Amino acid sequence: MHIPSDASLMWTRAGWRRDAAPAVEDGCVAAPPAAGGNGGWVLPGIPNLHSHAFQRAMAGLAERQTHPQDSFWTWREAMYRIAARFDPDSLYAVAAQLYVEMLEAGFTTVCEFHYLHHAPDGSAYADPAAMSQALVAAARDTGIRLTLLPVLYMTGGFDRRPLSARQRRFGHDLEGFLRLFGTLRAQEDATLRVGVAFHSLRAVPAEALSAALAALPADIPLHIHIAEQVGEVQDCLAVRNARPVEWLLANAPVDAGWTLVHATHLTADEVAGIARSGATVALCPTTEANLGDGLFPLRDYLAAGGRWGVGSDSHISVSPVEELRWLEYGQRLQARRRNMAAGGEGDSVGEALLRGTLASGAQATGQPVGELAPGMAADWIVLDTASPVFAGAREQDVVDRWLFSGNRPLVRDVYVAGEQVVSDGRHRDREAIAARYRVAVERLLAD
Ligand code: NGQ
Ligand code: ZN
């Protein structure tokens, strides 16, 4: 039986619940749910596990050949050129635009992997946290929930070479970094959580990683880029005698508090090791495709019981639909099979993808997100049930239709901490934020 478009449905761990809608108390879901519902099809907001906000300004600008062997590393040069031009004002303008786009697409929490710390020449701003504050302000003003991950970035490669001129604004010594962390941590509130990211094993020497972990609180989210490129795996093998994930699992206390970003190139032992550790892998399928990274071994990882979520990373796309869809499609193209993320016969691929990405939300973000249960964050999205995409849909079809049918935005309304920030597909400040973004980007790109 198809569901009437005015029915009330709420997505829970057990699947769709009929005639229910979240009730709100203090920004969280109250028990019990509002009986009868509100006539919407409601899902938890999607956590975005990986973002470099400034890169939104270069989406579509690195798609012209610069070298016959263009790669991740030549893209990185283009990215560094634009990174060099940001100041706190332009970072605020670009991040605010990005966060509006995320909310309109159904992402309600963002993990911001932030390393653009200092002035372009590497000297600290008068307020050393000025760039971080720009991100905090953009999140507050747009209403997105933020897990801010100031990034420790110390060296330019596994050989410990010093930072290049363009990397200097990313760098800290441990003392300065811990000061920044302390400043930000003091600002935590109901929608801001502060964790830490290690940029990569290239950028953080072994003893600095241990010293940082010893000095930081034990219960914060920890994120790291790892094993994204074959060159990185080779350099790690040459210098540390182990592959990046192999090295990390042997030398750091990797557990459920950790999120490994990309983890593209893995052996069978590494797949099993990450799954056993309880860590989350943050997959960014559209960016990984755009940068020519390679394909994550999803099927083996799911079979091992591994946790995962998605991120929009460089923001060449800002859409949970596209991340989840391409996560599945990459596997299909490689295996020449279909319905790869499904758990068994009759299982819906869309529901398997949705369950997977929501299940890691709380541990990867350090916030009570990913589920509309009592005490969890009142962060939800309402689908546009009037769309022809849902014609004739039964309950068990809704998520597959959302994720695998066309490109019209199907998120109608969005709430964060119980507050509505998007209605009828439009963020409350969409125009003003876009106007400010246009001015900022024109300046960033001017010669
Ligand atoms: C980043 N981005 O830090 O923005 C990286 C590129 C690097 C991605 N890996 C720079 N997608 O890894 O050195
Ligand atoms: Zn990244």
Side-chain angles (χ1 to χ4, degrees):
M1 244 266 291
H2 72 89
I3 358 164
S5 62
D6 63 351
S8 296
L9 292 181
M10 184 170 86
W11 181 261
T12 70
R13 270 194 195 215
W16 289 112
R17 174 164 175 178
R18 277 263 184 165
D19 299 323
V24 181
E25 194 181 319
D26 283 341
C28 293
V29 177
N38 57 5
W41 302 357
V42 172
L43 298 148
I46 309 295
N48 188 330
L49 301 192
H50 194 63
S51 165
H52 307 288
F54 76 91
Q55 291 176 16
R56 173 62 186 82
M58 67 171 289
L61 301 185
E63 308 302 326
R64 194 174 282 274
Q65 194 180 81
T66 62
H67 185 276
Q69 257 86 52
D70 264 336
S71 68
F72 175 90
W73 306 103
T74 57
W75 166 82
R76 196 172 78 156
E77 290 309 309
M79 184 271 276
Y80 283 176
R81 278 195 292 280
I82 190 136
R85 307 198 66 155
F86 275 87
D87 62 13
D89 277 351
S90 48
L91 184 60
Y92 171 86
V94 170
Q97 172 66 22
L98 172 68
Y99 296 162
V100 163
E101 292 172 3
M102 284 189 189
L103 288 164
E104 289 182 352
F107 286 122
T108 47
T109 304
V110 59
C111 296
E112 190 58 49
F113 198 107
H114 166 58
Y115 58 86
L116 222 52
H117 298 300
H118 308 303
D121 66 358
S123 61
Y125 285 107
D127 171 5
M131 294 293 263
S132 299
Q133 305 297 9
L135 295 168
V136 171
R140 292 232 163 99
D141 293 352
T142 56
I144 202 165
R145 185 180 295 276
L146 174 65
T147 294
L148 182 59
L149 304 164
V151 173
L152 181 61
Y153 200 121
M154 304 176 93
T155 54
F158 282 103
D159 58 5
R160 296 165 179 258
R161 77 187 78 152
L163 301 180
S164 68
R166 284 213 158 106
Q167 293 169 329
R168 233 160 266 150
R169 69 183 311 192
F170 316 156
H172 273 107
D173 57 20
L174 189 52
E175 210 182 308
F177 179 73
L178 293 171
R179 259 200 311 277
L180 173 65
F181 171 78
T183 305
L184 299 173
R185 174 102 154 150
Q187 284 172 244
E188 282 193 339
D189 62 20
T191 57
L192 171 67
R193 186 82 212 273
V194 178
V196 158
F198 303 106
H199 182 271
S200 53
L201 296 181
R202 288 175 266 137
V204 183
E207 69 284 356
L209 180 67
S210 316
L213 289 171
L216 288 164
D219 60 340
I220 58 169
L222 296 169
H223 290 219
I224 184 169
H225 285 135
I226 199 143
E228 181 182 10
Q229 282 287 316
V230 172
E232 176 190 346
V233 176
Q234 287 165 345
D235 288 355
C236 190
L237 269 167
V239 176
R240 298 198 189 176
N241 267 314
R243 303 166 54 83
V245 168
E246 181 191 11
W247 187 91
L248 190 74
L249 292 172
N251 291 279
V254 177
D255 62 12
W258 286 69
T259 296
L260 311 191
V261 182
H262 309 303
T264 311
H265 300 286
L266 300 177
T267 63
D269 282 352
E270 290 173 316
V271 166
I274 300 175
R276 242 191 338 265
S277 75
T280 298
V281 174
L283 298 164
C284 310
T286 63
T287 293
E288 289 154 8
N290 185 273
L291 298 182
D293 288 343
L295 277 177
F296 176 78
L298 183 70
R299 234 342 214 237
D300 295 344
Y301 186 68
L302 293 179
R307 292 187 166 248
W308 61 276
V310 291
S312 58
D313 191 352
S314 68
H315 315 304
I316 36 86
S317 168
V318 182
S319 155
V321 170
E322 217 182 352
E323 297 309 329
L324 294 172
R325 186 183 286 181
W326 279 99
L327 179 59
E328 168 70 20
Y329 283 174
Q331 305 295 313
R332 292 188 191 186
L333 287 165
Q334 189 185 44
R336 292 179 264 164
R337 300 259 303 276
R338 300 190 70 250
N339 303 338
M340 304 290 286
E345 208 176 307
D347 200 16
S348 144
V349 175
E351 290 190 359
L353 292 167
L354 180 69
R355 277 184 222 284
T357 198
L358 292 176
S360 67
Q363 72 175 50
T365 65
Q367 308 213 47
V369 301
E371 194 186 348
L372 292 171
M376 300 290 282
D379 297 2
W380 73 81
I381 65 182
V382 187
L383 296 178
D384 177 12
T385 39
S387 166
V389 160
F390 294 115
R394 300 163 303 165
E395 273 178 30
Q396 62 265 41
D397 303 326
V398 170
V399 179
D400 286 335
R401 300 266 187 112
W402 178 38
L403 296 181
F404 292 103
S405 181
N407 288 303
R408 299 244 187 115
L410 294 171
V411 173
R412 193 187 72 198
D413 303 324
V414 179
Y415 294 74
V416 178
E419 199 185 320
Q420 184 163 14
V421 289
V422 171
S423 39
D424 272 327
R426 301 176 78 85
H427 186 275
R428 58 190 182 197
D429 295 322
R430 183 199 258 203
E431 281 75 25
I433 287 170
R436 189 160 171 174
Y437 175 76
R438 253 181 231 110
V439 173
V441 172
E442 281 163 15
R443 278 202 199 121
L444 281 167
L445 300 181
D447 340 279

